Amino acid sequence: MPYAVGVGAMLLLGLRVHLRAIDGGLDPSFIYAYNFAAERGLQWGSEFLSTYGPYGFLLMPLDIGSHAVQALLFQLVLLVAGGIVAMRFVLQYAAAAPWATAGLTVAVTYALAVQSLEWLAFGVLTLVVACALDARRDAAWFGAAGAIAGLYLLLKFSLGFGAFATLLVAAPLFAQPRRIAQRLGAGVGAAALVGACGWLTTGASLAALPEYLSTGWQISSGYSAAMSLAPPGGWIGVVGYLSFFALLGLWAARVRERKLLLVLAASAFPLFTAWKHSMVRQDGHVVFLALFGALVLVAGSIAVPSAKRRESGAIAVVALAFLLVASAGSGLVPPIEVPDLLTRPLRRLAGGEILRSLRYGDHRAELAATSRENLERLRLPDPLLAAVRGEAVDVYPGDVAYTAANDMSWRGRPLPTSFSSYTPQLDRLNAQFLAADDAPRFLLWTNGAGVYGIDGRHLFWDEPYTLQTIVDRYDVEDSADGATLLVRRESPRFGERSTIATDRAEWGEWKPAPAIDGGVLLLAVEHQAGLIERFERLAYRQAPVRVSLRFADGRERTYRVPPDHLPSGLWIMPLPTSLWELKTMLSDGMAQVVTEVRLDAGPVTRLGGAFDLRWERLEVVDRKPPPRTGGGDDVLAHADDDGTCSGAVEEASLSYYDWNSGRRLIGVAGWARDGGRAVDPRAIHFTDAEGKLLPALVQTGLHRPDVAQHYEMPGLEYAGWRALTVESEADRPIGFVVQARDGALVRSCNTLPTR
């Protein structure tokens, strides 16, 4: 049986044991989220949204439910189909002796095997379309391509859209209108049938399918602007890949062979899809086009007759060199990774991947042990867990592996990770979920990187409507090293959102932030994208948009923002810039004062010229009383025997804001000691000139190795502190004190300036 060669080679070279262990972090938690959602039968498009569809777990499975078995069976079916299609392609495109046919088939299966599973399926689709363009019964082949596209839409929407577009682009090629209609009828009909049947098997109704397609399009269309990434050497990848495309054109022009032209025509939209996936986020993704381009070169070379193979081979080799340069020279992919990927099928063969698959049970047991070790690192304290036991919990910004590690009942937002809400429409879906009466009672804010999101974003700007809803509907309940627990409020915190000022700005221009008397300051930006900017976003990627902030103490910070969220209203003040400030703002409404704002963008976006600014105020209707200062009869610190300072103030600036009162606050920092050890936060106080205690929020335990070195006391390594306290009246200093053993207040040698 001739097809046995293709199937055997595909299984030997392409089979991989691709189960993953459960773990925390950005990507592992995202994978856990859609595996969990698929296992629980959540409805894609409304209850759960992702670029991966309801069968996406087949591409990146975790050992949850029956996913391990299903993923292995899917891979076997895909590899068998790939082997059959590879052999058919060689039989159809190469007039060769049987032994040569077998060798060429192995070459095609090897080129398929170097792809990841999702791109391997895309490669099979491309070969099917190539066979269709050179077949008399092309409608049947287009039906097969449509079936793959229909399944693809349920595996990963972005590639599913590319697969469906490949079908539509290829159908009119080299055909008369009647034949085009037959191709489209077979292809679109098969895609609709397979897609609908696959959708129904998830338990969802056909009425919900349009919602899945609509939200999938939102995710795919917003990705190019929100997630674009270019390393310093990224231009090498751009030039290298464009040179590769130019060489493909030269290849077709010089060889002038019909079958080569058919292969390149079938590969045109798949290559564009690989270009987009490689260029939008030019990190590890940059290898997608290199590996897929290698498949196209192999397929194209097979289509060239022997008489023309010398010149054809020279062009193909140069094109392959440009692929290697483009992928390995971009800066974020180590050069060793590309040859490593290209030789991976051989290492699978040598490493006995087939034997590993036969010992699948042992492999699953090993992964289960690894998962337990990974999740143990995410365990939270028992008192915090006791509060949420039996209650529904959501996780923000998205490290949902915490729920697996702590046996929580996870009920998440439709988009479980904040960074993936690329558009206002997606953002509103998450906001509506959290604003609903049946929203989870608890929300676990995992600390992670504090206020920083992916690619230097500020978490408050990842999804503006959702963030405002969280702060509106939740209060701080408890805190631990790994996370802060929020509990649902009895009533909303915020009232009306009103416009207080409008302005017009140029890119790169600083604009003053208006003062507000209480509440939250928001900034909405209206920028009209021009045709060139839209084309850049469609064909390449949109350069990042960044917002720079100047704070009251003179510091500046710059954060990236997804451009589609600019009109939604960015949270400007009070704005936390650290984990401590985040907790302080969530609990007491106090964070940094922003005095000026500047927006900047890439050169194409800047061509659009000036844009409109709309400053808005979000009213606080449920105000909290000011925080209490420490004190009492507890023995918290000792006075120095010689009467010298028990601590020092080293920084003081009027740079914070309280949304409850609208008052400016003093941010202060320094160190304090209780003999040879650091002090409890309740030991630090602030007073006015008459010695009256002032409201304050204090954090101790900050790293101060210099203090420990100065006193030669290791116990003072974490003697640092920082605090927020109210502004004193004009010309009246605030004193810093540390409580002594007898309860008296021992004034330090510092006096805080009010400005």
Side-chain angles (χ1 to χ4, degrees):
M1 183 179 179
Y3 290 100
V5 174
V7 172
M10 196 74 256
L11 289 173
L12 289 172
L13 297 171
L15 185 64
R16 62 209 74 181
V17 179
H18 65 310
L19 272 180
R20 297 164 178 256
I22 302 174
D23 201 358
L26 193 67
D27 289 337
S29 274
F30 181 60
I31 294 170
Y32 173 77
Y34 63 73
N35 272 265
F36 178 92
E39 171 62 19
R40 292 299 175 92
L42 299 184
Q43 182 169 299
W44 253 251
S46 57
E47 294 179 323
F48 190 84
L49 309 178
S50 165
T51 184
Y52 287 91
Y55 291 108
F57 69 88
L58 296 174
L59 299 173
M60 294 188 180
L62 300 178
D63 198 355
I64 297 176
S66 61
H67 287 186
V69 175
Q70 292 182 60
L72 182 59
L73 292 175
F74 166 77
Q75 186 182 169
L76 291 173
V77 171
L78 176 61
L79 294 176
V80 169
I84 293 172
V85 171
M87 174 58 84
R88 181 61 194 175
F89 173 81
V90 172
L91 290 173
Q92 197 165 319
Y93 273 81
W99 63 269
T101 298
L104 294 175
T105 301
V106 172
V108 175
T109 58
Y110 190 96
L112 287 171
V114 300
Q115 318 293 325
S116 64
L117 274 186
E118 57 195 57
W119 285 98
L120 191 157
F122 214 90
V124 173
L125 170 73
T126 303
L127 295 179
V128 168
V129 172
C131 290
L133 294 178
D134 190 45
R136 291 183 179 180
R137 297 181 179 180
D138 52 356
W141 281 104
F142 271 93
I148 297 173
L151 175 61
Y152 234 135
L153 284 170
L154 303 179
L155 288 169
K156 188 174 183 180
F157 185 88
S158 58
L159 287 178
F161 173 78
F164 193 74
T166 297
L167 184 71
L168 298 180
V169 170
L173 299 176
F174 315 107
Q176 298 298 319
R178 182 177 178 181
R179 200 169 184 181
I180 294 172
Q182 292 174 342
R183 289 175 171 182
L184 287 174
V188 174
L193 179 62
V194 172
C197 291
W199 179 257
L200 290 173
T201 59
T202 67
S205 67
L206 287 178
L209 184 56
E211 189 174 20
Y212 165 69
L213 297 177
S214 174
T215 54
W217 175 254
Q218 285 288 324
I219 294 173
S220 296
S221 62
Y223 182 87
S224 182
M227 297 293 289
S228 61
L229 179 67
W235 64 271
I236 298 175
V238 176
V239 172
Y241 282 144
L242 291 178
S243 300
F244 166 73
F245 289 138
L247 283 168
L248 291 184
L250 177 65
W251 199 17
R254 293 288 297 176
V255 176
R256 296 183 181 180
E257 175 60 37
R258 175 180 174 275
K259 289 192 174 183
L260 173 61
L261 188 60
L262 294 180
V263 170
L264 295 180
S267 306
F269 204 87
L271 282 171
F272 173 73
T273 304
W275 156 267
K276 281 285 290 183
H277 281 74
S278 293
M279 287 291 102
V280 169
R281 192 160 184 83
Q282 203 174 340
D283 49 11
H285 298 83
V286 76
V287 301
F288 292 155
L289 181 51
L291 299 179
F292 197 83
L295 170 63
V296 173
L297 291 176
V298 170
S301 298
I302 290 173
V304 176
S306 57
K308 299 181 179 181
R309 281 181 181 165
R310 176 173 295 182
E311 182 179 14
S312 170
I315 296 175
V317 168
V318 174
L320 179 61
F322 273 105
L323 288 178
L324 296 176
V325 169
S327 58
S330 292
L332 288 183
V333 180
I336 192 64
E337 184 169 332
V338 179
D340 175 76
L341 292 171
L342 290 174
T343 59
R344 188 165 292 176
L346 294 178
R347 286 183 286 109
R348 289 195 198 108
L349 186 60
E353 201 76 1
I354 291 282
L355 296 178
R356 287 186 66 202
S357 66
L358 296 177
R359 295 186 291 104
Y360 207 41
D362 294 340
H363 180 62
R364 293 173 67 180
E366 293 170 3
L367 281 180
T370 303
S371 296
R372 287 192 295 270
E373 293 176 7
N374 294 340
L375 295 178
E376 186 61 32
R377 300 194 304 266
L378 306 181
R379 286 288 300 176
L380 296 171
D382 290 338
L384 187 148
L385 296 177
V388 302
R389 190 164 293 121
E391 298 278 359
V393 180
D394 193 6
V395 181
Y396 200 84
D399 199 347
V400 297
Y402 271 89
T403 61
N406 295 280
D407 196 25
M408 294 178 174
S409 177
W410 178 45
R411 183 165 174 264
R413 307 177 306 287
L415 285 129
T417 52
S418 66
F419 72 86
S420 59
S421 296
Y422 307 134
T423 68
Q425 293 88 338
L426 298 173
D427 183 12
R428 286 192 181 95
L429 292 175
N430 274 357
Q432 291 166 5
F433 172 84
L434 292 174
D437 292 338
D438 61 346
R441 181 163 180 248
F442 291 99
L443 189 145
L444 188 72
W445 190 304
T446 54
N447 294 339
V451 299
Y452 280 93
I454 191 172
D455 298 338
R457 296 193 208 169
H458 197 293
L459 280 180
F460 278 42
W461 300 345
D462 262 354
E463 39 183 2
Y465 294 129
T466 301
L467 188 281
Q468 292 167 30
T469 303
I470 290 174
V471 183
D472 183 36
R473 300 303 178 101
Y474 288 85
D475 269 328
V476 173
E477 173 77 1
D478 198 357
S479 184
D481 288 342
T484 299
L485 182 65
L486 308 182
V487 65
R488 193 162 180 83
R489 296 169 52 86
E490 294 183 359
S491 61
R493 186 192 312 273
F494 298 133
E496 294 295 324
R497 177 172 165 173
S498 58
T499 300
I500 59 174
T502 58
D503 202 350
R504 193 159 176 81
E506 299 282 350
W507 297 104
E509 178 185 11
W510 284 102
K511 283 291 182 177
I516 54 175
D517 183 17
V520 177
L521 180 65
L522 307 175
L523 173 61
V525 180
E526 298 289 347
H527 161 66
Q528 297 298 323
L531 289 177
I532 298 178
E533 181 181 344
R534 293 177 184 176
F535 178 77
E536 177 193 43
R537 182 168 177 171
L538 175 66
Y540 182 43
R541 63 175 175 237
Q542 185 173 350
V545 174
R546 292 185 170 87
V547 179
S548 297
L549 305 172
R550 186 170 286 158
F551 296 96
D553 61 2
R555 293 181 303 114
E556 293 181 10
R557 293 280 179 90
T558 298
Y559 303 97
R560 181 174 178 176
V561 60
D564 288 349
H565 286 322
L566 290 173
S568 301
L570 304 181
W571 185 294
I572 298 297
M573 187 175 76
L575 189 74
T577 61
S578 67
L579 178 59
W580 178 70
E581 291 176 7
L582 171 64
K583 293 180 180 179
T584 300
M585 199 211 70
L586 291 174
S587 61
D588 294 282
M590 302 176 182
Q592 294 271 356
V593 172
V594 174
T595 58
E596 292 181 276
V597 176
R598 179 184 67 190
L599 281 82
D600 212 342
V604 174
T605 303
R606 293 170 70 100
L607 290 175
F611 49 87
D612 293 322
L613 303 179
R614 185 175 68 254
W615 296 97
E616 299 178 338
R617 177 178 175 269
L618 190 59
E619 181 186 8
V620 176
V621 295
D622 188 0
R623 301 175 184 270
K624 289 187 66 174
R628 296 181 179 180
T629 187
D633 297 329
D634 296 337
V635 177
L636 301 172
H638 303 277
D640 284 357
D641 294 337
D642 58 1
T644 58
C645 298
S646 298
V649 175
E650 298 165 322
E651 299 177 15
S653 62
L654 191 61
S655 56
Y656 286 79
Y657 166 81
D658 177 8
W659 71 26
N660 295 288
S661 64
R663 296 182 66 177
R664 295 284 286 271
L665 306 172
I666 297 180
V668 287
W671 59 270
R673 70 187 182 100
D674 175 9
R677 62 182 181 179
V679 301
D680 186 283
R682 294 170 297 168
I684 295 178
H685 310 278
F686 300 91
T687 67
D688 61 15
E690 299 174 354
K692 180 181 177 182
L693 294 180
L694 298 173
L697 289 171
V698 181
Q699 180 193 24
T700 56
L702 303 185
H703 196 211
R704 291 300 301 268
D706 57 319
V707 176
Q709 182 178 5
H710 175 78
Y711 283 99
E712 297 182 351
M713 296 179 178
L716 299 182
E717 184 175 358
Y718 291 91
W721 59 265
R722 56 186 167 188
L724 296 179
T725 187
V726 298
E727 178 186 6
S728 67
E729 298 178 8
D731 301 324
R732 299 186 66 184
I734 296 177
F736 161 66
V737 297
V738 177
Q739 185 174 357
R741 177 178 292 278
D742 60 3
L745 294 176
V746 179
R747 189 174 301 280
S748 81
C749 57
N750 292 87
T751 298
L752 307 186
T754 58
R755 288 176 175 79

